[in-house]
Amino acid sequence: MADAGGFRLASESDPTASAHLAGTILPGFRDAHVHLGLIDGAALLGGGIAVVHDFGWGLESARTWATDTALPEVRIAGQLLTAPGGYPTASGWAPSDASREVAGPDDASAAVDEQVDAGATFIKVTLNSDAGPVFDDATLGAIVGHAHERHVSVAAHAQGAGQAARAYSAGIDVLAHAPWSERLPDELIAAMAKAMSWVSTLDIHGWGKFNEGFAVANDNVRRFHAAGGRIRYGTDLGNGPLPVGVNERELVALEHAGLEIDALAAAIAPAPASGAFGQRISRISLPRQEDPAHWLAAARLIDHDNLEVHLA
Ligand SMILES: [Zn+2]
């Protein structure tokens, strides 16, 4: 995190600061689980979100998002890979072309290739035994294996007893939601903390009116975080009444699960792998306050291309 003294600009040849941006500067905020097909994505930048991971939609639309300048930086999963008749084919929220049914292990490579060839940089599978059939181990393993061969990670929607454990055993890299179907055993949580990331999506469990799923997910997140697991801020935007922008309730929920300011900032403003900040940075002009969630939610984006207008 940049210090509260703000951000100093200097050229490579002359390291003396040439201008000063007051406040606190972080990498552009990321929502690591959205559905652009279900929201007005053009409102995200104004809401403080610079980067999104889209967790499933038809390829015809999804392949256009990465180059749409009205949108944040977008990574797409492409279609949701699911067992024949599996979630979300009968759930109502997703059009039929948002899902790709995978008939068995022999069909796994083709299904993965279709997504990657259309621009997907990760694969999303559904393992929702509450809402239909789920992949057998052989098919799931074939999908994960081929995705990794193509150098893309795999995220899973794991729902229903035992599905989060199956995702872990299959080598899934990311859980699309912090598990809420059951309290996971400590040993499983410890193993998962070494091997995968979880997208938080705590606020979908009641949207501020905490339900039973919220309590279970919150307890799992608390132990996963304490075990060193990596949490990504994500909201499942498009699913229920959520603000199109930074959701302060999601941050508050993570705070309640034990994430302190540095962990919260890392969850929503991950340092870019390259070391260079992305196209947009997040600026918090509020003085550093007691409540980290409220403070982070006050961030606004600045585009590198018009940085000058913000400089003091
Ligand atoms: Zn989702």
Side-chain angles (χ1 to χ4, degrees):
M1 191 185 320
D3 68 49
F7 192 63
R8 289 172 198 284
L9 296 187
S11 67
E12 267 175 48
S13 57
D14 178 5
T16 311
S18 58
H20 179 238
L21 190 61
T24 302
I25 303 300
L26 294 166
F29 284 6
R30 177 188 71 189
D31 188 331
H33 184 153
V34 306
H35 295 278
L36 288 174
L38 297 171
I39 59 168
D40 171 18
L44 280 164
L45 291 172
I49 295 295
V51 180
V52 294
H53 295 178
D54 187 86
F55 265 60
W57 204 250
L59 294 176
E60 207 174 309
S61 301
R63 73 197 323 161
T64 68
W65 290 333
T67 53
D68 185 338
T69 54
L71 296 175
E73 286 176 44
V74 183
R75 290 183 59 195
I76 62 164
Q79 295 168 297
L80 299 113
L81 305 192
T82 187
Y87 177 81
T89 58
S91 73
W93 66 264
S96 60
D97 72 340
S99 302
R100 163 64 156 94
E101 298 181 342
V102 183
D106 295 346
D107 191 24
S109 293
V112 168
D113 287 343
E114 286 161 22
Q115 315 313 313
V116 176
D117 294 345
T121 58
F122 66 105
I123 294 295
K124 161 100 175 270
V125 299
T126 70
L127 292 173
N128 183 351
S129 60
D130 287 348
V134 294
F135 290 127
D136 58 24
D137 289 345
T139 307
L140 183 59
I143 291 169
V144 174
H146 191 66
H148 288 170
E149 275 169 24
R150 297 228 39 197
H151 306 292
V152 294
S153 57
V154 186
H157 173 118
Q159 180 177 354
Q163 297 304 323
R166 289 191 67 219
Y168 164 73
S169 299
I172 295 282
D173 305 284
V174 178
L175 290 186
H177 306 275
W180 77 97
S181 296
E182 63 205 324
R183 183 180 198 275
L184 301 183
D186 287 339
E187 311 76 63
L188 177 60
I189 293 240
M192 286 174 155
K194 292 191 177 70
M196 53 168 44
S197 306
W198 289 4
V199 185
S200 55
T201 75
L202 292 170
D203 190 46
I204 60 171
H205 307 294
W207 303 292
K209 299 187 183 94
F210 313 118
N211 61 25
E212 203 177 318
F214 182 90
V216 175
N218 204 273
D219 171 60
N220 285 330
V221 168
R222 171 182 303 282
R223 290 178 297 124
F224 182 73
H225 171 63
R230 191 140 33 104
I231 297 285
R232 302 177 180 187
Y233 165 94
T235 62
D236 200 7
L237 190 51
N239 171 7
L242 292 164
V244 182
V246 177
N247 181 5
E248 188 173 339
R249 288 193 313 252
E250 187 70 34
L251 291 166
V252 169
L254 285 169
E255 221 183 327
H256 287 166
L259 277 74
E260 293 179 351
I261 179 67
D262 286 350
L264 272 185
I268 195 169
S274 62
F277 279 28
Q279 193 197 335
R280 297 179 183 87
I281 53 179
S282 294
R283 175 196 192 186
I284 306 173
S285 46
L286 274 187
R288 186 71 181 79
Q289 293 199 337
E290 282 297 301
D291 176 36
H294 183 70
W295 182 70
L296 283 168
R300 292 294 171 264
L301 294 176
I302 295 179
D303 199 314
H304 273 175
D305 295 342
N306 59 18
L307 196 53
E308 292 74 18
V309 303
H310 300 278
L311 294 172

